[in-house]
Amino acid sequence: MTAANRYLVLENGSVFAGQAFGSPVSTCAGGEIVFSTNMTGFTETVSDPSHCGQIVVQTFPLVGNYGVNPADVQATPKCAGYVVSQLCQTPSHFQSQGTFDAFFVQHGIPGLAGVDTRALTKMIRNAGQLRGVLADNPADAMFRATIDDFIAQVTVSEPKLAPADAAKHNVVLWDFGVKASELRELNARGCNVTVMPASSTAEQMLAQQPQGVLLSAGPGNPAQYAAIAEEIAKVAKTGVPVFAWGMGHQLLAMACGGKTERLPYGHRGGYSVFDHAANKTVIYHQNHGYAVAMNGLPANAVASHTNVNDKTCAGLDYTGINAFSVQFEPAAAQFDRFVSMMGGK
């Protein structure tokens, strides 16, 4: 890692200095600054499509000690930057095939190390939404006022098949930013998955003759995508089984008349979720800055899961349509439920 100066400049005027790693900042890299509380899975974090356009602050103090394993990469990294306290340049793990520094150079992402991430995280928690810019000179920091279509940056450009070795079900996935691990979970359950672009119409989705429809997670503000929600409503009304998570969960709620809201600083990491049906609390991985508003739930839905910390909606069960959704990253139980809705095991 080159011991060059680099700065994180926040729109509230705060400046954090550190050492540069990863890609050079030829032009200022800016975006919403968020923090992730994950204590492992750093490669998965930076390659999560839901971080598109964001500068991610890792709260765990040491990053890079086990290097980068290409099998952990979820998608082409699209985050705008990465900020850590301490970056390890000598990884020690039998699956490591390179350093974080080299990985960030490869994908054109600038990084900043040597920052008091505890102080920075507390600032984000207190201030709420903040934009930041990584720059080699604080005077160069400029904040864009444009609203980006982040889903367009992470979705497939044309239909793509993710085949199962022993196919039992034909499903289509509306791709708002799906992860490789989620496709593997579906394939393992005998699902041939046709991944469709976010811009697909209901007619195009149904033309695939799916036994089930999936709505993936993704980046950005769901309110920007009312047109997609209208297409989702058309699909849901046919009665085909629908399972949604993350951004898909929010868009399905909008399709059924629900409302979404911005969270003060989002949920990114492992969070406790109360499962109403099982009457127990489970920790699920989450990565979102918006939620379905509890005072704006769809008329045909009830909360199936609730975030323990702030009581926000973490899941919905629907009546009148054959659908359910969760805000968090799906686990085995949710994928199994979806398969059972299609008559499988």
Side-chain angles (χ1 to χ4, degrees), residues 172 201-210 213 234-236 238 240:
V172 295
T201 64
E203 182 179 10
Q204 290 170 328
M205 297 292 287
L206 295 171
Q208 304 296 323
Q209 298 183 325
V213 174
K234 298 174 186 176
V235 170
T238 67
V240 63

Side-chain angles (χ1 to χ4, degrees), residues 189 243 275 284 324 330-340:
R189 288 164 173 78
F243 170 38
D275 183 330
Y284 288 108
F324 77 102
Q334 286 80 45
F335 287 117
D336 289 344
R337 179 180 177 184
F338 174 64
V339 171
S340 69

Side-chain angles (χ1 to χ4, degrees), residues 118-186:
R118 180 178 177 83
L120 177 54
T121 298
K122 290 173 68 175
M123 181 177 293
I124 298 170
R125 282 179 59 94
N126 293 334
Q129 184 179 14
L130 277 176
R131 290 178 299 168
V133 171
L134 286 174
D136 292 337
N137 183 345
D140 294 336
M142 296 178 62
F143 298 95
R144 295 181 300 166
T146 58
I147 300 176
D148 292 305
D149 182 356
F150 293 119
I151 286 180
Q153 298 179 40
V154 299
T155 189
V156 293
S157 58
E158 58 186 21
K160 177 182 177 182
L161 179 64
D165 291 334
K168 302 176 184 177
H169 309 285
N170 174 43
V171 302
V172 295
L173 183 145
W174 231 316
D175 179 23
F176 310 128
V178 70
K179 302 199 298 187
S181 59
E182 294 159 349
L183 292 176
R184 287 196 293 267
E185 290 287 347
L186 291 161

Side-chain angles (χ1 to χ4, degrees), residues 221-243:
N221 182 350
Q224 288 181 240
Y225 302 104
I228 294 178
E230 291 178 3
E231 296 301 313
I232 291 172
K234 298 174 186 176
V235 170
K237 289 176 181 177
T238 67
V240 63
V242 176
F243 170 38

